Amino acid sequence: MSTMLNRSTTGELGPEMRPLVDPGELQPRIVHFGLGAFHRAHQAVYTEAAAARSAQPWGIVAVGPRSAAPVEAARAQDCLFSVTDRMPGGAGSG
């Protein structure tokens, strides 16, 4: 059985797996329409890295205009999600 990802469980993750910034410190400064995988795996990741490097609280407000289901799923995880990088030949190849 796995633990639900949310702000109260991030302490159970290894340091390299935790958010780069405290989500509670972020402020809404970007509005993005859609909660799709591309946004989460690219735009949100780069925004988090920029916020961490600049010490600016750049947060994203995502709008799900088509369905409430992705919004509810995101809220259940305090809007946290994981991203896995994959490459041909597996991790560490190349």
Side-chain angles (χ1 to χ4, degrees):
M1 184 169 144
S2 64
T3 302
M4 170 77 83
L5 177 64
N6 59 45
R7 288 180 61 194
S8 69
T9 61
T10 58
E12 298 172 24
L13 301 172
E16 72 283 356
M17 304 286 288
R18 294 180 191 151
L20 299 175
V21 294
D22 179 354
E25 299 290 319
L26 299 177
Q27 298 174 9
R29 297 210 173 155
I30 298 170
V31 175
H32 182 80
F33 287 87
L35 297 170
F38 182 85
H39 165 70
R40 293 190 316 267
H42 298 284
Q43 296 162 326
V45 169
Y46 299 139
T47 301
E48 178 190 29
R53 286 191 176 132
S54 68
Q56 296 295 315
W58 283 86
I60 301 170
V61 174
V63 178
R66 295 187 185 150
S67 172
V71 175
E72 293 166 5
R75 285 183 181 157
Q77 296 185 176
D78 293 331
C79 298
L80 296 176
F81 56 91
S82 64
V83 175
T84 301
D85 291 327
R86 296 179 69 177
M87 62 184 79
S93 68

